[in-house]
Amino acid sequence: MSRNLIDSIKLLKSILSKSEHLVFLTGAGISKESGIPTFRGYEGLWKTYDPMKLASVSAFIENPSLVWEFYAYRQKLIGECHPNGAHIAISNIQQQKRNSWVLTQNVDNLHERAGSKNIIKLHGNIFKVYCIHCGYYGNMDRNVPPLCPNCNNVLKPGVVLFEETLPQKEWTKAIELSSSCDLMLIIGTSLNVSPANTLPLYAKDNNAIVVEINTETTELTKLMDFSLQGTASEILPKIMGLLEN
Ligand code: OAD
């Protein structure tokens, strides 16, 4: 670990210990070391697959079986994965910062499984299903594609697809929390996808300190107060360790 990185981690520890309104914003990179592929960047899913054919509303209407093939594959993969040191470190930090929140773009439930509280799921939950015809919402069953128990239409995966808006209640709360936080830790997201990628701007408007933890630079690296370059599971447990000392 470089001298710079060690210094930045120490600086973050001191900022974190003073923070009273802490928000985490997480993306696919935090779950990479749990074995779940990211979407963009090196080995990202969207390098091999076309999101408009597999993860959009129009694709779902045109060919729900193909969309379900992709989501059933991801459900199985995610079901076999476990939270890593980064998810656990966030959950531990939350034990000390009880009014902190996790805003996540991930649909994998690994924050919950690591014991985090106060989670806003901006892009839904891959183990849920939704009926675009009658509004039924429930757990995924074994059938692929699953059918609605009320109206027998094919159910949609319980995630936000391209061409869909974010769930209103979650989005409103995410803006409220971002606009009132004093520290935002942005972990493992390329900040490519709107509207989630506008949340750091709300934090900045409130003069919050915004810090990025990522293996690469992102769309908003220049906006950050500082960036920690490295894997989430390497850096977050180090911050947690320092917080305990
Ligand atoms: P991306 O795949 O766009 O970005 C993942 C980010 O994680 C990149 O910036 C990587 O550099 C970084 N990264 C990779 N490994 C890492 C590690 N071990 N530690 C820290 N950072 C790491 O994922 P998101 O930004 O989450 O939407 O993508 C946003 C949305 O686009 C997703 O929620 C999904 C996708 O289409 C939906 O499914 C609706």
Side-chain angles (χ1 to χ4, degrees):
M1 197 179 276
S2 73
R3 185 80 236 143
N4 267 356
L5 186 54
I6 295 169
D7 289 346
S8 299
I9 290 175
K10 284 186 179 155
L11 176 61
L12 180 54
K13 178 237 167 187
S14 108
I15 295 168
L16 192 54
S17 60
K18 289 182 202 125
S19 167
E20 288 174 6
H21 300 281
L22 166 65
V23 164
F24 298 92
L25 173 62
T26 68
I30 195 171
S31 299
K32 172 102 184 273
E33 288 151 278
S34 293
I36 303 172
T38 60
F39 298 95
R40 297 170 189 80
Y42 178 64
E43 289 181 339
L45 282 174
W46 299 154
K47 280 230 155 94
T48 317
Y49 304 105
D50 178 352
M52 294 318 284
K53 293 207 173 103
L54 297 177
S56 68
V57 176
S58 41
F60 175 70
I61 290 166
E62 209 171 291
N63 193 346
S65 298
L66 181 67
V67 170
W68 266 110
E69 219 176 283
F70 177 64
Y71 278 96
Y73 152 76
R74 293 198 61 222
Q75 277 175 346
K76 182 169 183 304
L77 187 145
I78 289 170
E80 288 162 0
C81 293
H82 301 283
N84 65 52
H87 299 102
I88 292 164
I90 290 180
S91 166
N92 288 340
I93 292 169
Q94 285 196 294
Q95 299 277 330
Q96 299 187 20
K97 303 269 176 197
R98 297 240 175 219
N99 69 348
S100 62
W101 285 77
V102 179
L103 315 181
T104 188
Q105 297 165 85
N106 297 345
V107 296
D108 57 25
N109 294 346
L110 292 187
H111 285 300
E112 288 91 319
R113 287 177 54 199
S116 266
K117 301 279 185 282
N118 297 346
I119 302 167
I120 305 277
K121 297 166 86 67
L122 297 166
H123 290 170
N125 177 339
I126 199 164
F127 298 104
K128 297 282 186 185
V129 285
Y130 177 71
C131 181
I132 58 171
H133 299 277
C134 74
Y136 171 83
Y137 182 73
N139 291 323
M140 175 70 189
D141 66 21
R142 278 155 197 255
N143 303 313
V144 177
L147 298 179
C148 178
N150 289 339
C151 66
N152 215 36
N153 280 297
V154 178
L155 291 159
K156 188 184 85 65
V159 302
V160 175
L161 298 177
F162 284 95
E163 304 163 340
E164 254 186 326
T165 54
L166 267 53
Q168 194 55 49
K169 207 172 92 206
E170 281 79 358
W171 180 237
T172 304
K173 183 76 181 164
I175 292 177
E176 182 194 313
L177 289 163
S178 302
S179 305
S180 57
C181 70
D182 56 18
L183 173 62
M184 180 179 268
L185 295 187
I186 302 164
I187 303 150
T189 170
S190 61
L191 295 170
N192 250 289
V193 174
S194 173
N197 65 355
T198 62
L199 293 172
L201 307 177
Y202 288 95
K204 264 292 189 195
D205 274 353
N206 193 43
N207 293 321
I209 297 175
V210 291
V211 178
E212 179 173 74
I213 299 174
N214 201 305
T215 46
E216 296 167 29
T217 55
T218 70
E219 296 292 318
L220 292 184
T221 297
K222 287 201 174 86
L223 179 101
M224 300 297 150
D225 288 285
F226 57 100
S227 295
L228 301 181
Q229 204 161 3
T231 63
S233 70
E234 172 192 25
I235 291 175
L236 279 160
K238 289 228 158 47
I239 295 167
M240 182 56 211
L242 285 172
L243 207 60
E244 280 172 339
N245 294 327

